[in-house]
Amino acid sequence: MENMSEKIYTSHALEALPEQKPVRADVFIAEQIPHYSRSYLQDLIKQGLVAINNKVAKSSTIVKPLDHVTVSIPPVPSISYKGGPEIEGKLQNFDVKIIYEHKEFLIVAKPAGLMVHKPSAYNTDVTLVDWLLSRWQQLKMVGDQDRPGIVHRLDKDTSGLMVIPRTNYAHFKFSDLFKNRAIKKTYLAIVRGHPDRTGSIDFPIDRDPITRNKMSHQSGQGRAALTHYKVLEYFTDTTLVEVLPVTGRTHQIRVHFNAIGHPLEGDILYGKKSSRIDRQALHATSLSFAFDGEPFSFSESMPADMQVAIDQLKK
């Protein structure tokens, strides 16, 4: 193991159950602590930060029933969110809307083009977290210090509704709701071609082995992912669909529709550039959940750029 005296590491002690099937170490760990990507865990193994039964693991090491696995997570640079005139000036370019204010949480509509939080300490882009902290400084104390006030996210170029916990109590409650799939999310998407009128897509999703900012379904491994959809309207060469993801994997909707041969309109990462819209045509249009026994439901109409694209398609 690497000398840890100079840094404070987070240690995870895992034990394989008696019924555990023999499986690669990175696969086993990813199932036990799923908020880390497989590629990141593979890097930890290469660094000698994973041990099985007190012996440093290799990439080829197999976890067997009753094995003891120790994972040491190195510290990451702390991300700093700073306010001031410069940030405020950049934020004026984004029309974030407050849909609902509750004493425990907010519902906001994020515009396309705005990142939810900084992906690393070295990123300088303005984010939704910057916008939130410019209005509610107390959110600095809610949740993870590197993504304060955030319990789920949308891709930078996906628009739509998000729930923002305002207290650590709410952060815990919503984390639990998302974990137990007790929050119903509905999206609108424009996809290429004509998929079946209804369908379910259940390919597992894994990190692409070549392109690090991309996800993939082709390995047949990764984390289970399930997406339901129904067609709202067919156009000449595209389709407007309503999408209900059951799970919440990174890029799930984009990867799943690409997997069945119907990539999202304008999605240059998984499809191709569009003359109708300059980003992936994906909008989180509704959220429904129960908080402390009280039901809540919110909706946000399609943004202008997607509506313009649909108007063009109808012509």
Side-chain angles (χ1 to χ4, degrees):
M1 279 281 182
E2 178 181 320
N3 185 353
M4 300 182 189
S5 61
E6 298 178 357
K7 297 179 180 180
I8 298 175
Y9 284 63
T10 301
S11 181
H12 294 273
L14 312 172
E15 183 175 358
L17 297 174
E19 60 269 25
Q20 173 69 48
K21 294 180 179 179
V23 65
R24 284 170 53 102
D26 57 339
V27 175
F28 173 78
I29 300 167
E31 291 174 348
Q32 301 298 313
I33 44 177
H35 46 286
Y36 296 112
S37 69
R38 279 266 303 283
S39 61
Y40 177 71
L41 296 172
Q42 288 166 352
D43 287 341
L44 294 183
I45 293 173
K46 292 177 182 177
Q47 294 176 50
L49 296 176
V50 174
I52 299 178
N53 300 326
N54 295 319
K55 294 182 179 180
V56 176
K58 297 180 180 179
S59 297
S60 58
T61 304
I62 299 298
V63 176
K64 302 181 291 298
L66 301 179
D67 276 350
H68 294 273
V69 181
T70 304
V71 184
S72 298
I73 308 295
V76 297
S78 180
I79 295 176
S80 176
Y81 289 91
K82 298 180 180 179
E86 182 182 355
I87 292 296
E88 283 298 324
K90 292 180 179 179
L91 288 171
Q92 289 177 6
N93 297 324
F94 297 100
D95 181 24
V96 183
K97 291 195 292 184
I98 303 170
I99 304 300
Y100 178 76
E101 285 194 56
H102 185 280
K103 66 178 183 178
E104 295 287 347
F105 62 88
L106 303 165
I107 302 295
V108 302
K110 185 190 83 67
L114 182 62
M115 192 178 298
V116 171
H117 60 80
K118 297 182 188 299
S120 76
Y122 312 105
N123 187 278
T124 59
D125 290 346
V126 69
T127 67
L128 177 64
V129 169
D130 289 311
W131 184 89
L132 291 166
L133 293 180
S134 71
R135 287 150 180 80
W136 295 280
Q137 283 290 314
Q138 68 272 23
L139 287 178
K140 282 187 176 180
M141 308 302 294
V142 176
D144 191 325
Q145 66 174 352
D146 286 348
R147 56 193 73 183
I150 301 301
V151 72
H152 70 124
R153 72 179 192 87
L154 297 176
D155 294 337
K156 178 180 179 181
D157 289 326
T158 297
S159 57
L161 295 177
M162 291 187 63
V163 57
I164 308 295
R166 301 179 73 172
T167 66
N168 278 305
Y169 170 75
H171 191 278
F172 170 79
K173 295 289 286 188
F174 279 111
S175 295
D176 199 49
L177 289 173
F178 278 108
K179 179 181 179 181
N180 292 306
R181 301 174 185 174
I183 295 184
K184 181 181 178 183
K185 299 171 289 183
T186 306
Y187 292 74
L188 296 174
I190 304 171
V191 303
R192 302 289 301 174
H194 292 158
D196 294 339
R197 287 199 170 275
T198 61
S200 297
I201 313 168
D202 62 357
F203 296 112
I205 292 177
D206 199 0
R207 181 73 58 179
D208 188 280
I210 299 173
T211 308
R212 291 187 64 84
N213 68 330
K214 195 174 182 180
M215 307 302 289
S216 175
H217 72 285
Q218 295 178 343
S219 71
Q221 300 181 15
R223 301 175 66 189
L226 177 61
T227 303
H228 302 307
Y229 75 88
K230 68 177 181 180
V231 169
L232 298 181
E233 189 169 359
Y234 287 121
F235 306 112
T236 301
D237 59 357
T238 56
T239 304
L240 176 64
V241 293
E242 181 182 81
V243 188
L244 292 90
V246 177
T247 51
R249 309 306 182 206
T250 300
H251 297 182
Q252 176 172 319
I253 295 172
R254 300 163 66 188
V255 172
H256 270 177
F257 276 95
N258 181 49
I260 63 170
H262 300 287
L264 270 61
E265 182 80 3
D267 190 346
I268 60 174
L269 188 61
Y270 298 100
K272 61 182 181 180
K273 188 175 181 179
S274 170
S275 61
R276 303 175 179 119
I277 189 168
D278 61 2
R279 52 112 174 180
Q280 67 258 13
L282 183 61
H283 176 67
T285 191
S286 71
L287 279 173
S288 299
F289 54 85
F291 184 85
D292 282 348
E294 183 179 357
F296 292 90
S297 185
F298 305 95
S299 61
E300 172 67 2
S301 58
M302 192 181 299
D305 61 346
M306 281 185 65
Q307 189 60 60
V308 168
I310 287 174
D311 291 342
Q312 292 176 356
L313 292 167
K314 287 182 176 180
K315 292 179 181 178

